Amino acid sequence: MGTEVSVTLWHEDAGQGRRAIDAVMEQMHRVDKQWNPEDADSELSQINIDAANGVATVSTELSLVLDKALYYSRLSGGAFDISFASVARYYNYREGIAPQPDLQSKALKAVDYRLIKLDVSRRRLHFENPDLQIDLGGIAKGYAVDRAVALLEQRGIEHASISAGGDSRLLGDRRGRPWMVGIRNPRAAEGEVALVLPLQDIAFSTSGDYERFYLDPESGERIHHIINPGTGKSAGELMSVSVLGPRGFDTDPLSTTLFVLGVERGMALVETLDDFDAIMIDADGQVHYSSGLTD
Ligand code: ADP
Ligand code: MG
């Protein structure tokens, strides 16, 4: 998943605590391996080939994640769209490489979630454009974090914090006190926080333009990893979005969705969702809160 995973938990028995951490890490490695787009043998790589050429059969687990991804695509009018990868596959953020304009416009035609045909009950998947490719980078971490929390709950653990990059889930509190969760200052050195929130029993996802990016040498523009599916280019209105809610499987895609939508449309969407709140830092560094957080 291209990020760091961390686990903090309490258990009366040190050995059982250690085994619980091992189980979480095993789960993370399993999800990473299964949906790693850079591994030609992963399930994701295989279905990308099969669904573009015909019909792919997907695992029950993948059909669940695809179904959720398509739900957020419909909810956001396509701001969240796992077919962004049809264009993003031609970017290399580490080396500062963007696709040539003709390739970019051909690839952009394949960015459209309505071309992804999923039959959940039969676990069949077909792409209606052979250039269409999907990537789960905007949803897999939140899903994995939820699965990991479920493993801890099965073991009777009541106080834990699990994070995979910008996606965290807090189980209970920090033994009598809330967990303190920071939102990074998007333009400061790593580790410097803009805000700290006391939280418990919640999922918390942050999407930022500082995770994977380069500055275009000619325009000075920040080219980063969150793509506006309408243009095939980096979404530019915000520097960071954090979403709070019950599950990472929702807060993760929502943070990416709101990042693309921007302040006005993003806040309007989150206000329609009962269990979710958002904090946005716009391009001028202004902080915006949804109504559930203004107190
Ligand atoms: P991260 O924790 O990696 O910063 P985010 O939640 O911010 O994760 O999601 C960014 C990732 O989502 C990108 O690296 C990419 O894999 C994927 N992504 C980018 N744009 C979109 C989009 N418009 N719809 C769905 N997924 C996207
Ligand atoms: Mg996300």
Side-chain angles (χ1 to χ4, degrees), residues 87 104 108 227-235:
V87 164
Q104 166 94 13
L108 190 56
I227 303 282
N228 179 343
T231 61
K233 305 216 160 125
S234 305

Side-chain angles (χ1 to χ4, degrees), residues 79-93:
F80 188 82
D81 191 333
I82 54 175
S83 70
F84 79 96
S86 315
V87 164
R89 62 196 292 218
Y90 299 114
Y91 281 89
N92 184 327
Y93 301 102

Side-chain angles (χ1 to χ4, degrees), residues 80 137-139 141 167 205-207 251-257:
F80 188 82
I139 189 167
K141 290 197 292 299
D167 298 290
S205 293
T206 298
S207 293
T251 58
D252 185 7
L254 270 172
S255 69
T256 311
T257 302

